[in-house]
Amino acid sequence: DVVLTQSPLSLPVTVGQPASISCRSSQSLVLSDGNTYLDWYQQRPGQSPRRLIYRVSKRDSGVPDRFSGGGSGTDFTLKISRVEADDVGVYYCMQGAHWPPYTFGPGTKVDLK
Amino acid sequence: EVQLVESGGGLVQPGGSLRLSCAGSGFSFSDFYFGWVRQAPGKGLEWVAHIAHRHDSYSTQFAASVRGRFTISRDDAKNSVSLQMDGLGTEDTAVYYCVREAWYSFDRCGQGTRVTVSS
């Protein structure tokens, strides 16, 4: 199974400042179709997960443009250009390239300093 | 508006069974794959099961941790997908989320239903 590791696991942030989360895969997530199947999900406290980014860098409808995804192969990053209080929660990366099983990273907890 | 609404969670004794349901609305249900993802208390997300649509013969896949104990099914006429859970253990205690799959990704997620396995 593909193992995803995230860093940091805890990220205290300041409103208005940038933030970045790394996700590293044990295998390349590029498929023969040329696409890379790595997503980012946000789970706010007490809520269900919500997809923010799919295929590395495609933002879901309604997701603020302060969220951006990047990377390639086995190394990926979620960036928040200017953190807002509403961004508090846990962020998970997930791979769909080598399923089953779909696998998630351990999550990065983002909270305010 | 796309909605997935889970139901059927509750308290069950070890070794018991439970059937979860997920009702979809606001989209063409039969065109999509579906799955279940769970989250144990204070833990991360774990994929549990998948079911394809009619064009892929409603094929199913399961996580190793539930294979042989859980089954997944769907009723496109009722816009619903179900997860039958047998032989439940305390390790199955979690919130179970119904997810809509699109291109190896989960583009929608329900609000979840809580399953507690305890004597």
Side-chain angles (χ1 to χ4, degrees):
Chain A
D1 297 354
V2 174
V3 176
L4 298 178
T5 55
Q6 290 182 230
S7 62
L9 298 182
S10 178
L11 182 58
V13 297
T14 300
V15 171
Q17 293 300 303
S20 180
I21 301 170
S22 170
C23 176
R24 183 162 291 177
S25 173
S26 61
Q27 299 179 36
S28 172
L29 301 182
V30 183
L31 282 192
S32 56
D33 64 3
N35 291 311
T36 302
Y37 293 97
L38 186 284
D39 304 334
W40 289 96
Y41 296 82
Q42 175 195 58
Q43 188 174 31
R44 290 173 172 144
Q47 295 188 15
S48 57
R50 163 202 182 197
R51 194 180 69 178
L52 297 177
I53 302 283
Y54 61 100
R55 272 181 259 161
V56 180
S57 60
K58 299 182 184 302
R59 229 179 355 256
D60 270 277
S61 175
V63 174
D65 61 7
R66 64 177 184 278
F67 288 94
S68 64
S72 63
T74 60
D75 290 312
F76 306 94
T77 304
L78 175 69
K79 292 183 178 179
I80 309 174
S81 59
R82 294 173 308 279
V83 171
E84 296 188 3
D86 202 33
D87 300 336
V88 166
V90 181
Y91 292 78
Y92 297 93
C93 56
M94 189 203 82
Q95 69 82 25
H98 301 288
W99 81 282
Y102 289 102
T103 52
F104 292 89
T108 294
K109 185 175 183 180
V110 173
D111 56 14
L112 298 181
K113 283 183 180 175
Chain B
E1 179 193 3
V2 172
Q3 278 198 312
L4 297 171
V5 179
E6 301 94 336
S7 60
L11 174 63
V12 60
Q13 292 189 337
S17 298
L18 209 56
R19 186 177 182 88
L20 307 182
S21 295
C22 170
S25 60
F27 61 98
S28 180
F29 189 88
S30 61
D31 289 342
F32 287 88
Y33 293 6
F34 292 92
W36 291 88
V37 168
R38 68 183 180 183
Q39 186 170 37
K43 301 298 184 182
L45 301 171
E46 178 189 18
W47 170 77
V48 172
H50 152 96
I51 186 165
H53 52 42
R54 178 174 62 90
H55 301 292
D56 288 315
S57 305
Y58 302 119
S59 63
T60 60
Q61 297 283 353
F62 297 93
S65 57
V66 307
R67 196 173 297 132
R69 300 188 297 121
F70 289 13
T71 55
I72 186 173
S73 59
R74 61 189 291 166
D75 184 339
D76 289 345
K78 294 182 178 179
N79 288 358
S80 70
V81 60
S82 297
L83 185 70
Q84 176 66 39
M85 305 186 296
D86 298 321
L88 285 163
T90 55
E91 69 277 10
D92 297 313
T93 292
V95 175
Y96 285 74
Y97 297 102
C98 175
V99 293
R100 190 178 78 171
E101 289 186 38
W103 288 103
Y104 311 109
S105 181
F106 305 142
D107 69 342
R108 290 289 191 275
C109 181
Q111 87 289 349
T113 187
R114 188 174 302 274
V115 173
T116 302
V117 184
S118 174
S119 55

